[in-house]
Amino acid sequence: MRILVTGGLGFIGSHTVVELANQNHEIIIVDNLYNSKIEVLESLEKITGKKFKFYQYDIADKTKVESIFSENKIDAVIHFAGYKAVGESVQKPLMYYSNNLRSTLNLLEVMKEHGVNKLIFSSSATVYGDQGVRKYTEDMGRGTTTNPYGTTKAMIEKILEDVYTADNSWNITILRYFNPVGAHESGLIGDNPNGIPNNLMPYVMRVASGKLECLSVFGNDYQTVDGTGVRDYIHVVDLAKGHVKAIENAPDGLNVYNLGSGKGISVLELVNCFEQINGVKVNYKIVGRRPGDVAENYADPTKAWNELGWKTEKTLEDICKDAWNFEKNN
Ligand code: NAD
Ligand code: UD1
């Protein structure tokens, strides 16, 4: 298939390009480099031994999207492009609504004009909100989102549902990611957030490498295995393979899948594993809970297994090893 990958030089997009190329799909990448670097393109070519057509365009500009579709016969789109920083979205809501919604609307309109009806969208477990349960299944529906970033994901899911209701010829797959972490085993691509990271894994790596002094563990008084928060960490290569399965195996129509391991890991379990497997020290201190955090959540990934034939294969050890390998290389 000839697949347009928006945000294809970002963290999850770049790993997905590798897995799509491994299955001999033809890939066109569009990315405006807002949160990625052009060097990633070279790394992708090094890893796969293939060349990729690349557009450095902002897809919030509809004329740019139109020109990509006019120049290429596209079969399907995987849409990663968007802003994703939870804290920043609270400070700059308009920037988030504008970029995430505009880029998606442009894509949908231009796809319709060009008769392209196959779309995979990057959603997030954040759309479930806090429903007072630990394990989330797709049929639970969306809950209340707690920040503008999460709200853009919920709004786009709703837009996609309405588009499908109006025209059943669309094939739309919504993937709800749990906590993507890790890096490609080559150490050439991975997660490299700007500034001080909000998320656990990038923070752990900065502390291990001495760039930051100490990890603050947000609470050890939750009702969990050791009192610290529990999440479903998924290796980004497993996640990338989930996109290949979705593009190849998703049934016609509009379908939603959780992409997670189905296993909860606590903050201290992750820190301990990271220290042991990599032989490094991660200084940490226990501080108060972070507002908005829940004690524990993880995916029920059964639907993705039954319908897509996908489940995670990598372990927490792989996650910690590959993440650290990338950090050392960069
Ligand atoms: P990322 O920031 O690394 O990648 C997104 C890419 O999109 C970046 O390279 C950026 O430059 C590009 N981009 C942004 N706006 C653009 C625009 N208007 N035009 C062209 N390119 C644009 O993020 P990621 O972690 O790879 O996430 C990919 C997708 O998955 C995002 O939609 C994100 O919201 C979603 N998601 C991520 C996580 C996570 O924890 N990483 C969790 C759930 C969902
Ligand atoms: C966070 C976002 C969520 C977003 C997701 C992926 C919040 C409240 N939630 O989820 O909307 O979809 O990232 O981008 O921001 N932790 C620490 N110390 C740290 C960082 C994290 O102890 O410095 C703990 C957290 O309390 C949590 C776990 O580590 O228990 C994971 O945190 P994080 O990586 O931020 O992911 P989420 O909280 O799941």
Side-chain angles (χ1 to χ4, degrees):
M1 250 182 273
R2 188 174 296 127
I3 303 166
L4 175 66
V5 181
T6 78
L9 297 190
F11 173 43
I12 305 169
S14 59
H15 289 81
T16 302
V17 166
V18 171
E19 299 307 323
L20 290 168
N22 286 344
Q23 298 307 313
N24 292 318
H25 291 290
E26 192 183 321
I27 297 142
I28 299 163
I29 300 171
V30 57
D31 198 304
N32 65 353
L33 305 185
Y34 173 82
N35 197 33
S36 50
K37 297 199 169 66
I38 192 64
E39 289 77 21
V40 173
L41 190 60
E42 275 168 44
S43 299
L44 290 176
E45 292 174 351
K46 222 182 256 174
I47 293 169
T48 62
K50 296 181 178 171
K51 291 256 177 230
F52 302 102
K53 192 164 188 178
F54 172 65
Y55 291 91
Q56 188 180 335
Y57 283 172
D58 180 348
I59 61 164
D61 177 348
K62 192 174 171 189
T63 60
K64 294 288 198 292
V65 182
E66 272 162 349
S67 71
I68 299 173
F69 279 77
S70 300
E71 288 167 26
N72 302 279
K73 169 94 195 62
I74 289 163
D75 300 308
V77 177
I78 307 185
H79 179 33
F80 293 103
Y83 297 155
K84 64 163 183 178
V86 172
E88 186 185 52
S89 80
V90 176
Q91 307 300 323
K92 301 176 180 167
L94 288 179
M95 182 175 130
Y96 273 68
Y97 288 116
S98 176
N99 188 51
N100 292 5
L101 295 177
R102 242 182 258 280
S103 60
T104 307
L105 292 172
N106 287 344
L107 266 179
L108 289 167
E109 285 170 1
V110 176
M111 286 173 75
K112 193 173 161 66
E113 282 159 26
H114 287 261
V116 181
N117 67 356
K118 197 171 173 63
L119 174 73
I120 295 192
F121 174 64
S122 300
S123 190
S124 164
T126 195
V127 302
Y128 287 117
D130 180 7
Q131 304 194 21
V133 295
R134 290 166 182 237
K135 182 158 86 173
Y136 283 89
T137 53
E138 294 84 350
D139 57 9
M140 284 172 181
R142 291 184 290 272
T144 307
T145 49
T146 53
N147 54 74
Y149 161 72
T151 307
T152 68
K153 293 295 176 193
M155 289 170 90
I156 293 169
E157 286 199 2
K158 180 67 184 145
I159 290 169
L160 295 175
E161 287 165 9
D162 291 344
V163 164
Y164 177 72
T165 302
D167 176 358
N168 285 184
S169 70
W170 280 92
N171 291 314
I172 297 174
T173 308
I174 292 171
L175 300 178
R176 292 182 181 152
Y177 313 153
F178 279 69
N179 293 55
V181 287
H184 192 262
E185 62 180 10
S186 63
L188 291 172
I189 52 173
D191 194 12
N192 199 358
N194 294 323
I196 295 178
N198 283 307
N199 295 114
L200 179 63
M201 194 60 165
Y203 208 105
V204 165
M205 293 200 290
R206 301 274 166 96
V207 173
S209 62
K211 291 179 194 138
L212 291 170
E213 228 166 76
C214 183
L215 169 73
S216 295
V217 175
F218 299 139
N220 67 347
D221 55 353
Y222 287 109
Q223 295 275 318
T224 60
V225 57
D226 55 20
T228 64
V230 168
R231 295 291 184 274
D232 186 337
Y233 297 97
I234 171 173
H235 195 297
V236 63
V237 171
D238 278 334
L239 184 61
K241 288 179 178 166
H243 292 73
V244 179
K245 293 290 185 190
I247 210 131
E248 292 175 350
N249 300 344
D252 285 350
L254 182 130
N255 296 283
V256 183
Y257 298 99
N258 285 340
L259 295 186
S261 70
K263 193 170 176 308
I265 304 287
S266 78
V267 175
L268 291 184
E269 284 171 339
L270 187 145
V271 168
N272 290 336
C273 178
F274 194 94
E275 289 187 329
Q276 273 174 23
I277 200 95
N278 296 318
V280 290
K281 181 94 195 88
V282 179
N283 297 319
Y284 71 85
K285 59 174 190 266
I286 308 289
V287 301
R289 294 179 177 191
R290 179 171 68 177
D293 270 354
V294 296
E296 176 159 358
N297 71 27
Y298 52 90
D300 181 342
T302 311
K303 191 179 175 208
W305 173 241
N306 288 342
E307 296 185 14
L308 305 179
W310 173 89
K311 62 177 162 57
T312 57
E313 288 164 356
K314 302 220 176 236
T315 61
L316 182 62
E317 284 75 16
D318 296 327
I319 287 173
C320 293
K321 190 162 48 74
D322 293 339
W324 184 234
N325 184 38
F326 174 72
E327 178 77 14
K328 280 188 299 184
N329 260 332
N330 293 273

